[in-house]
Coordinates of all heavy atoms in Angstrom, one line a residue:
Q35 N -8.0 5.3 23.5 CA -9.3 5.4 24.1 C -9.5 6.7 24.9 O -10.5 7.3 25.0 CB -9.6 4.2 25.0 CG -9.7 2.9 24.3 CD -9.4 1.7 25.2 OE1 -9.1 1.9 26.4 NE2 -9.5 0.5 24.6
R36 N -8.4 7.2 25.4 CA -8.4 8.5 26.1 C -8.0 9.7 25.3 O -8.0 10.8 25.8 CB -7.4 8.4 27.3 CG -7.8 7.4 28.3 CD -6.7 7.4 29.4 NE -6.9 6.3 30.4 CZ -6.0 5.8 31.2 NH1 -4.8 6.3 31.2 NH2 -6.2 4.9 32.0
G37 N -7.7 9.5 24.0 CA -7.3 10.6 23.2 C -6.0 11.2 23.5 O -5.7 12.4 23.4
E38 N -5.0 10.3 24.0 CA -3.7 10.7 24.4 C -2.6 10.5 23.4 O -1.4 10.6 23.8 CB -3.4 10.1 25.8 CG -4.4 10.5 26.9 CD -4.1 9.7 28.2 OE1 -3.3 8.7 28.1 OE2 -4.8 10.0 29.2
V39 N -3.0 10.1 22.2 CA -1.9 9.8 21.2 C -1.3 11.1 20.8 O -2.0 12.1 20.6 CB -2.5 9.1 20.0 CG1 -1.5 9.0 18.8 CG2 -3.1 7.8 20.3
T40 N 0.0 11.2 20.7 CA 0.8 12.4 20.3 C 1.8 11.9 19.2 O 2.1 10.7 19.1 CB 1.5 13.0 21.5 OG1 2.5 12.1 21.9 CG2 0.5 13.4 22.6
P41 N 2.3 12.9 18.5 CA 3.4 12.5 17.5 C 4.6 11.8 18.1 O 5.2 10.9 17.4 CB 3.8 13.8 16.9 CG 2.6 14.7 17.1 CD 2.0 14.3 18.4
S42 N 4.9 12.0 19.3 CA 6.0 11.4 19.9 C 5.6 10.1 20.8 O 6.5 9.4 21.3 CB 6.8 12.3 20.8 OG 6.0 12.8 21.9
N43 N 4.3 9.9 20.9 CA 3.8 8.7 21.7 C 2.6 8.2 21.0 O 1.5 8.4 21.3 CB 3.5 9.2 23.1 CG 3.2 8.0 24.0 OD1 3.5 6.8 23.6 ND2 2.7 8.2 25.2
L44 N 2.9 7.4 19.9 CA 1.8 6.8 19.1 C 1.3 5.5 19.7 O 0.3 4.9 19.3 CB 2.3 6.5 17.7 CG 2.6 7.7 16.9 CD1 3.2 7.3 15.5 CD2 1.3 8.5 16.6
G45 N 2.0 4.9 20.7 CA 1.6 3.6 21.2 C 1.7 2.6 20.1 O 2.6 2.6 19.3
Y46 N 0.7 1.7 20.1 CA 0.8 0.6 19.0 C 0.5 1.2 17.6 O 0.7 0.4 16.7 CB 0.0 -0.6 19.4 CG -1.5 -0.4 19.4 CD1 -2.2 -0.2 18.3 CD2 -2.2 -0.5 20.6 CE1 -3.6 0.0 18.4 CE2 -3.5 -0.3 20.7 CZ -4.2 -0.1 19.6 OH -5.6 0.1 19.6
L47 N 0.1 2.4 17.5 CA -0.1 3.0 16.2 C 1.3 3.2 15.5 O 1.3 3.6 14.3 CB -0.9 4.3 16.2 CG -2.3 4.1 16.6 CD1 -3.0 5.5 16.7 CD2 -3.1 3.2 15.6
S48 N 2.4 3.0 16.2 CA 3.7 3.1 15.6 C 4.0 1.9 14.8 O 4.9 1.9 14.0 CB 4.8 3.4 16.7 OG 4.9 2.3 17.6
Y49 N 3.3 0.7 15.1 CA 3.7 -0.5 14.4 C 3.4 -0.4 12.9 O 4.3 -0.8 12.1 CB 2.9 -1.7 15.0 CG 3.3 -2.0 16.4 CD1 2.3 -2.4 17.3 CD2 4.6 -2.0 16.8 CE1 2.7 -2.7 18.6 CE2 5.0 -2.3 18.1 CZ 4.0 -2.6 19.0 OH 4.4 -2.9 20.3
P50 N 2.2 0.1 12.4 CA 2.1 0.2 11.0 C 3.1 1.1 10.3 O 3.6 0.8 9.2 CB 0.7 0.7 10.8 CG 0.2 1.2 12.1 CD 1.0 0.5 13.1
W51 N 3.6 2.1 11.1 CA 4.6 3.0 10.5 C 5.9 2.2 10.2 O 6.4 2.3 9.1 CB 4.9 4.1 11.5 CG 5.9 5.1 11.1 CD1 7.2 5.1 11.4 CD2 5.7 6.3 10.3 NE1 7.9 6.1 10.8 CE2 7.0 6.9 10.1 CE3 4.6 6.8 9.6 CZ2 7.2 8.0 9.4 CZ3 4.8 8.0 8.9 CH2 6.1 8.6 8.7
S52 N 6.4 1.5 11.2 CA 7.6 0.8 11.0 C 7.4 -0.4 10.0 O 8.3 -0.7 9.2 CB 8.2 0.3 12.3 OG 7.3 -0.5 13.0
W53 N 6.3 -1.1 10.1 CA 6.1 -2.2 9.2 C 6.0 -1.8 7.8 O 6.7 -2.4 7.0 CB 4.7 -2.9 9.6 CG 4.3 -4.0 8.7 CD1 3.4 -3.9 7.7 CD2 4.9 -5.3 8.5 NE1 3.3 -5.0 7.0 CE2 4.2 -5.9 7.5 CE3 5.8 -6.0 9.2 CZ2 4.4 -7.2 7.1 CZ3 6.1 -7.3 8.8 CH2 5.4 -7.9 7.8
Y54 N 5.2 -0.8 7.4 CA 5.1 -0.5 6.0 C 6.4 0.2 5.5 O 6.7 0.0 4.3 CB 3.8 0.4 5.8 CG 2.6 -0.5 6.0 CD1 1.6 -0.2 6.9 CD2 2.4 -1.6 5.1 CE1 0.5 -0.9 7.1 CE2 1.2 -2.4 5.3 CZ 0.3 -2.0 6.3 OH -0.8 -2.8 6.4
W55 N 7.1 0.9 6.3 CA 8.3 1.5 5.8 C 9.4 0.4 5.6 O 10.2 0.5 4.6 CB 8.9 2.5 6.8 CG 8.3 3.9 6.7 CD1 7.5 4.6 7.6 CD2 8.3 4.7 5.5 NE1 7.1 5.7 7.1 CE2 7.6 5.9 5.8 CE3 8.9 4.6 4.2 CZ2 7.4 6.9 4.8 CZ3 8.7 5.6 3.3 CH2 8.0 6.8 3.6
Q56 N 9.3 -0.6 6.3 CA 10.2 -1.8 6.1 C 9.9 -2.4 4.7 O 10.8 -2.7 4.0 CB 10.1 -2.8 7.2 CG 11.0 -4.0 7.1 CD 10.9 -4.9 8.2 OE1 9.8 -5.5 8.5 NE2 11.9 -5.2 9.0
Q57 N 8.6 -2.6 4.4 CA 8.2 -3.1 3.1 C 8.7 -2.2 2.0 O 9.1 -2.7 1.0 CB 6.7 -3.3 3.1 CG 6.1 -4.2 4.2 CD 6.9 -5.5 4.4 OE1 7.1 -6.3 3.5 NE2 7.4 -5.7 5.6
I58 N 8.5 -0.9 2.2 CA 8.9 0.0 1.1 C 10.4 0.0 0.9 O 10.9 0.0 -0.2 CB 8.5 1.5 1.5 CG1 7.0 1.6 1.4 CG2 9.2 2.5 0.6 CD1 6.4 2.8 2.0
T59 N 11.2 -0.2 2.0 CA 12.6 -0.3 1.9 C 13.0 -1.5 1.1 O 13.9 -1.5 0.2 CB 13.3 -0.4 3.3 OG1 13.0 0.8 4.0 CG2 14.8 -0.6 3.2
Y60 N 12.4 -2.7 1.4 CA 12.7 -3.9 0.6 C 12.3 -3.7 -0.9 O 13.1 -4.1 -1.7 CB 11.9 -5.1 1.2 CG 12.2 -5.5 2.5 CD1 11.3 -6.2 3.4 CD2 13.5 -5.4 3.1 CE1 11.6 -6.6 4.6 CE2 13.8 -5.8 4.3 CZ 12.9 -6.4 5.1 OH 13.2 -6.8 6.4
C61 N 11.2 -3.1 -1.2 CA 10.8 -2.9 -2.6 C 11.8 -2.0 -3.3 O 12.2 -2.2 -4.4 CB 9.4 -2.3 -2.6 SG 8.1 -3.5 -2.1
N62 N 12.2 -0.9 -2.6 CA 13.2 0.1 -3.2 C 14.5 -0.6 -3.4 O 15.2 -0.4 -4.5 CB 13.4 1.3 -2.3 CG 12.2 2.2 -2.3 OD1 11.4 2.2 -3.2 ND2 12.1 3.1 -1.3
R63 N 14.9 -1.5 -2.5 CA 16.2 -2.3 -2.8 C 16.0 -3.1 -4.0 O 17.0 -3.3 -4.8 CB 16.5 -3.1 -1.6 CG 17.1 -2.3 -0.4 CD 17.5 -3.3 0.7 NE 17.8 -2.5 1.9 CZ 17.7 -3.1 3.1 NH1 17.4 -4.4 3.3 NH2 18.0 -2.4 4.2
F64 N 14.9 -3.8 -4.1 CA 14.6 -4.6 -5.3 C 14.8 -3.8 -6.6 O 15.5 -4.2 -7.5 CB 13.2 -5.2 -5.2 CG 12.8 -5.9 -6.5 CD1 13.1 -7.2 -6.7 CD2 12.1 -5.2 -7.5 CE1 12.7 -7.9 -7.9 CE2 11.7 -5.8 -8.7 CZ 12.0 -7.2 -8.8
F65 N 14.1 -2.6 -6.6 CA 14.2 -1.8 -7.9 C 15.6 -1.2 -8.1 O 16.0 -1.1 -9.2 CB 13.2 -0.6 -7.8 CG 11.8 -1.1 -8.0 CD1 10.8 -1.0 -7.0 CD2 11.4 -1.7 -9.2 CE1 9.5 -1.5 -7.1 CE2 10.1 -2.2 -9.4 CZ 9.2 -2.0 -8.3
D66 N 16.3 -0.9 -7.0 CA 17.7 -0.5 -7.2 C 18.6 -1.6 -7.8 O 19.5 -1.3 -8.6 CB 18.3 -0.1 -5.8 CG 17.8 1.2 -5.3 OD1 17.1 1.9 -6.0 OD2 18.0 1.4 -4.1
N67 N 18.3 -2.8 -7.5 CA 19.1 -4.0 -8.0 C 18.6 -4.5 -9.3 O 19.4 -5.1 -10.1 CB 19.1 -5.1 -6.9 CG 20.0 -4.7 -5.8 OD1 21.2 -4.3 -5.9 ND2 19.5 -4.8 -4.6
V68 N 17.3 -4.4 -9.6 CA 16.8 -4.9 -10.8 C 16.6 -3.7 -11.8 O 15.5 -3.2 -12.1 CB 15.4 -5.6 -10.6 CG1 14.8 -6.1 -11.9 CG2 15.6 -6.7 -9.6
S69 N 17.8 -3.2 -12.2 CA 17.8 -2.1 -13.2 C 19.1 -2.2 -14.0 O 20.0 -3.0 -13.6 CB 17.8 -0.8 -12.4 OG 18.9 -0.7 -11.5
G70 N 19.2 -1.4 -15.0 CA 20.4 -1.3 -15.8 C 20.9 -2.7 -16.4 O 20.1 -3.5 -16.9
D71 N 22.2 -3.0 -16.2 CA 22.8 -4.2 -16.7 C 22.1 -5.4 -16.0 O 22.0 -6.5 -16.6 CB 24.3 -4.3 -16.5 CG 25.0 -3.2 -17.4 OD1 24.4 -2.8 -18.4 OD2 26.1 -2.9 -17.1
N72 N 21.8 -5.3 -14.7 CA 21.2 -6.4 -13.9 C 19.9 -6.8 -14.6 O 19.6 -8.0 -14.7 CB 21.0 -6.0 -12.5 CG 22.3 -6.1 -11.7 OD1 23.3 -6.6 -12.1 ND2 22.2 -5.5 -10.5
L73 N 19.1 -5.8 -14.9 CA 17.8 -6.0 -15.5 C 17.9 -6.7 -16.8 O 17.2 -7.7 -17.1 CB 17.0 -4.7 -15.6 CG 15.6 -4.8 -16.2 CD1 14.7 -5.8 -15.5 CD2 15.0 -3.4 -16.3
E74 N 18.9 -6.3 -17.6 CA 19.1 -6.9 -18.9 C 19.5 -8.3 -18.8 O 18.9 -9.2 -19.5 CB 20.1 -6.1 -19.7 CG 20.3 -6.6 -21.1 CD 21.3 -5.7 -21.9 OE1 21.6 -4.6 -21.4 OE2 21.8 -6.2 -22.9
A75 N 20.4 -8.6 -17.8 CA 20.8 -10.0 -17.6 C 19.7 -10.9 -17.1 O 19.5 -12.0 -17.6 CB 22.0 -10.0 -16.6
L76 N 18.9 -10.3 -16.2 CA 17.7 -11.1 -15.7 C 16.7 -11.3 -16.8 O 16.1 -12.4 -16.9 CB 17.1 -10.4 -14.5 CG 17.9 -10.3 -13.2 CD1 17.4 -9.3 -12.2 CD2 18.0 -11.7 -12.6
N77 N 16.4 -10.3 -17.6 CA 15.5 -10.5 -18.7 C 15.9 -11.6 -19.7 O 15.1 -12.3 -20.3 CB 15.2 -9.2 -19.4 CG 14.2 -8.3 -18.7 OD1 13.3 -8.9 -18.1 ND2 14.3 -7.0 -18.8
N78 N 17.2 -11.7 -19.9 CA 17.8 -12.7 -20.8 C 17.5 -14.1 -20.2 O 17.4 -15.1 -21.0 CB 19.2 -12.5 -21.1 CG 19.5 -11.3 -21.9 OD1 18.6 -10.9 -22.7 ND2 20.7 -10.7 -21.8
Q79 N 17.4 -14.2 -18.9 CA 17.2 -15.5 -18.3 C 15.7 -15.9 -18.3 O 15.3 -17.0 -18.7 CB 17.7 -15.5 -16.9 CG 19.2 -15.4 -16.7 CD 19.6 -15.3 -15.3 OE1 19.0 -15.9 -14.4 NE2 20.7 -14.6 -15.0
D80 N 14.8 -14.9 -17.9 CA 13.4 -15.2 -17.8 C 12.6 -13.9 -17.7 O 12.3 -13.4 -16.6 CB 13.1 -16.1 -16.6 CG 11.7 -16.6 -16.6 OD1 10.8 -16.1 -17.3 OD2 11.4 -17.6 -15.9
S81 N 12.3 -13.3 -18.9 CA 11.7 -12.0 -18.9 C 10.3 -12.0 -18.3 O 9.9 -11.0 -17.7 CB 11.7 -11.4 -20.3 OG 11.0 -12.2 -21.2
D82 N 9.6 -13.1 -18.5 CA 8.2 -13.1 -18.0 C 8.2 -13.1 -16.5 O 7.4 -12.4 -15.8 CB 7.5 -14.4 -18.5 CG 7.1 -14.4 -19.9 OD1 7.1 -13.2 -20.5 OD2 6.9 -15.4 -20.5
K83 N 9.1 -13.9 -15.9 CA 9.2 -13.9 -14.4 C 9.7 -12.5 -13.9 O 9.2 -12.1 -12.8 CB 10.2 -15.0 -14.0 CG 10.3 -15.2 -12.5 CD 11.1 -16.4 -12.1 CE 11.2 -16.6 -10.6 NZ 12.0 -17.7 -10.2
V84 N 10.6 -11.9 -14.6 CA 11.1 -10.6 -14.1 C 10.0 -9.6 -14.2 O 9.8 -8.8 -13.2 CB 12.3 -10.1 -15.0 CG1 12.6 -8.7 -14.7 CG2 13.5 -11.0 -14.7
S85 N 9.2 -9.6 -15.2 CA 8.0 -8.7 -15.4 C 7.0 -8.9 -14.2 O 6.5 -7.9 -13.6 CB 7.4 -8.8 -16.7 OG 8.2 -8.3 -17.7
R86 N 6.7 -10.2 -14.0 CA 5.8 -10.5 -12.9 C 6.3 -10.0 -11.6 O 5.6 -9.4 -10.8 CB 5.5 -12.0 -12.8 CG 4.4 -12.3 -11.9 CD 4.5 -13.7 -11.4 NE 5.5 -13.9 -10.4 CZ 6.3 -14.9 -10.3 NH1 6.3 -15.9 -11.1 NH2 7.2 -14.9 -9.3
M87 N 7.6 -10.2 -11.3 CA 8.2 -9.8 -10.0 C 8.2 -8.2 -9.9 O 7.9 -7.7 -8.8 CB 9.6 -10.3 -9.9 CG 9.6 -11.8 -9.6 SD 11.3 -12.5 -9.5 CE 11.8 -11.9 -8.0
I88 N 8.4 -7.5 -11.0 CA 8.4 -6.1 -10.9 C 7.0 -5.6 -10.6 O 6.7 -4.7 -9.8 CB 8.9 -5.5 -12.3 CG1 10.4 -5.7 -12.4 CG2 8.5 -4.0 -12.4 CD1 11.0 -5.3 -13.8
G89 N 6.0 -6.3 -11.2 CA 4.6 -6.0 -10.9 C 4.3 -6.3 -9.5 O 3.6 -5.5 -8.8
E90 N 4.8 -7.3 -8.9 CA 4.5 -7.7 -7.5 C 5.1 -6.6 -6.6 O 4.5 -6.2 -5.6 CB 5.1 -9.0 -7.2 CG 4.3 -10.2 -7.8 CD 4.9 -11.5 -7.7 OE1 6.1 -11.6 -7.4 OE2 4.2 -12.6 -7.8
M91 N 6.3 -6.2 -6.9 CA 7.0 -5.2 -6.1 C 6.3 -3.8 -6.2 O 6.2 -3.1 -5.2 CB 8.5 -5.1 -6.4 CG 9.3 -6.3 -6.1 SD 9.4 -6.7 -4.3 CE 8.4 -8.1 -4.4
K92 N 5.9 -3.5 -7.4 CA 5.1 -2.2 -7.5 C 3.8 -2.3 -6.7 O 3.5 -1.3 -6.1 CB 4.8 -2.0 -9.0 CG 5.9 -1.4 -9.8 CD 5.5 -1.1 -11.2 CE 6.6 -0.4 -12.0 NZ 6.8 1.0 -11.6
F93 N 3.2 -3.4 -6.7 CA 2.0 -3.6 -5.9 C 2.3 -3.4 -4.4 O 1.6 -2.7 -3.7 CB 1.4 -5.0 -6.2 CG 0.2 -5.3 -5.2 CD1 -1.1 -5.0 -5.6 CD2 0.4 -5.9 -4.0 CE1 -2.1 -5.3 -4.8 CE2 -0.6 -6.1 -3.1 CZ -1.9 -5.8 -3.5
L94 N 3.3 -4.2 -3.9 CA 3.6 -4.1 -2.5 C 4.0 -2.7 -2.0 O 3.6 -2.3 -1.0 CB 4.7 -5.1 -2.2 CG 4.3 -6.6 -2.3 CD1 5.5 -7.5 -2.2 CD2 3.3 -7.0 -1.3
R95 N 4.8 -2.0 -2.9 CA 5.2 -0.7 -2.5 C 4.0 0.3 -2.5 O 3.8 1.1 -1.6 CB 6.3 -0.2 -3.4 CG 6.8 1.2 -3.0 CD 8.1 1.6 -3.7 NE 7.9 1.7 -5.2 CZ 8.8 2.0 -6.0 NH1 10.1 2.3 -5.6 NH2 8.6 2.1 -7.3
A96 N 3.1 0.2 -3.5 CA 2.0 1.0 -3.6 C 1.0 0.7 -2.4 O 0.4 1.6 -1.8 CB 1.3 0.8 -4.9
Y97 N 0.8 -0.6 -2.1 CA -0.1 -1.0 -1.0 C 0.5 -0.4 0.3 O -0.3 0.1 1.1 CB -0.2 -2.5 -0.9 CG -1.1 -3.0 0.2 CD1 -2.4 -2.9 0.1 CD2 -0.5 -3.4 1.4 CE1 -3.3 -3.2 1.1 CE2 -1.3 -3.8 2.4 CZ -2.7 -3.7 2.3 OH -3.5 -4.1 3.4
S98 N 1.8 -0.5 0.5 CA 2.4 0.1 1.7 C 2.1 1.6 1.8 O 1.8 2.1 2.9 CB 3.9 -0.2 1.8 OG 4.1 -1.6 1.8
Y99 N 2.3 2.3 0.7 CA 2.0 3.7 0.7 C 0.5 4.0 1.0 O 0.2 5.0 1.6 CB 2.5 4.4 -0.5 CG 4.0 4.9 -0.4 CD1 5.0 4.3 -1.2 CD2 4.3 5.9 0.5 CE1 6.3 4.7 -1.0 CE2 5.6 6.3 0.6 CZ 6.6 5.7 -0.1 OH 7.9 6.2 0.0
F100 N -0.3 3.2 0.4 CA -1.8 3.4 0.6 C -2.1 3.2 2.1 O -2.8 4.0 2.6 CB -2.5 2.3 -0.3 CG -3.9 2.1 0.2 CD1 -4.8 3.2 0.3 CD2 -4.4 0.8 0.5 CE1 -6.2 2.9 0.7 CE2 -5.7 0.6 0.9 CZ -6.6 1.6 1.0
R101 N -1.6 2.2 2.7 CA -1.9 2.0 4.1 C -1.3 3.1 5.0 O -1.9 3.5 5.9 CB -1.3 0.6 4.6 CG -2.0 -0.6 3.9 CD -3.5 -0.6 4.1 NE -3.8 -0.8 5.5 CZ -4.9 -0.3 6.1 NH1 -5.7 0.5 5.5 NH2 -5.1 -0.6 7.4
L102 N 0.0 3.5 4.7 CA 0.6 4.6 5.5 C -0.3 5.9 5.3 O -0.5 6.6 6.3 CB 2.0 4.9 5.0 CG 3.1 3.9 5.4 CD1 4.4 4.2 4.7 CD2 3.3 4.0 6.9
S103 N -0.8 6.2 4.1 CA -1.5 7.4 3.9 C -2.9 7.3 4.6 O -3.5 8.3 5.1 CB -1.7 7.7 2.4 OG -2.5 6.7 1.8
A104 N -3.4 6.0 4.7 CA -4.7 5.8 5.4 C -4.6 6.1 6.9 O -5.5 6.7 7.5 CB -5.2 4.4 5.2
F105 N -3.4 5.8 7.5 CA -3.1 6.0 8.9 C -2.7 7.5 9.2 O -3.1 8.1 10.1 CB -2.1 5.1 9.4 CG -2.6 3.7 9.8 CD1 -2.2 2.6 9.0 CD2 -3.3 3.5 10.9 CE1 -2.7 1.4 9.3 CE2 -3.8 2.3 11.2 CZ -3.5 1.2 10.4
Y106 N -1.8 8.0 8.3 CA -1.1 9.2 8.6 C -1.3 10.3 7.6 O -0.6 11.4 7.7 CB 0.4 8.9 8.8 CG 0.7 7.8 9.7 CD1 1.1 6.5 9.2 CD2 0.6 7.9 11.1 CE1 1.4 5.5 10.0 CE2 0.8 6.8 11.9 CZ 1.2 5.6 11.4 OH 1.5 4.5 12.2
S107 N -2.1 10.1 6.6 CA -2.3 11.1 5.5 C -1.0 11.2 4.7 O -0.5 10.2 4.3 CB -2.8 12.5 6.1 OG -3.2 13.3 5.0
G108 N -0.5 12.4 4.4 CA 0.7 12.5 3.6 C 1.9 12.0 4.4 O 2.0 12.2 5.6
V109 N 2.8 11.3 3.7 CA 4.0 10.8 4.2 C 5.1 11.1 3.2 O 4.8 11.4 2.0 CB 4.0 9.3 4.5 CG1 2.9 9.0 5.6 CG2 3.6 8.5 3.2
P110 N 6.4 11.0 3.6 CA 7.5 11.2 2.6 C 7.4 10.1 1.5 O 7.2 9.0 1.8 CB 8.7 11.1 3.4 CG 8.3 11.4 4.8 CD 6.9 10.8 4.9

Side-chain angles (χ1 to χ4, degrees):
Q35 294 159 357
R36 295 179 187 162
E38 297 173 352
V39 173
T40 66
S42 60
N43 190 9
L44 293 173
Y46 64 70
L47 291 178
S48 64
Y49 294 139
W51 179 265
S52 58
W53 170 258
Y54 290 119
W55 278 118
Q56 184 179 57
Q57 303 314 304
I58 290 167
T59 299
Y60 293 153
C61 292
N62 286 342
R63 285 185 192 158
F64 172 87
F65 287 116
D66 288 347
N67 288 307
V68 181
S69 62
D71 292 340
N72 284 347
L73 178 57
E74 187 177 341
L76 290 167
N77 275 329
N78 288 336
Q79 292 176 32
D80 190 341
S81 60
D82 289 341
K83 185 175 183 180
V84 171
S85 290
R86 190 202 75 219
M87 290 177 70
I88 289 172
E90 289 172 341
M91 292 300 108
K92 281 182 172 288
F93 173 93
L94 290 170
R95 184 168 63 176
Y97 180 76
S98 296
Y99 269 114
F100 161 55
R101 297 301 294 146
L102 283 172
S103 66
F105 279 108
Y106 309 106
S107 191
V109 295

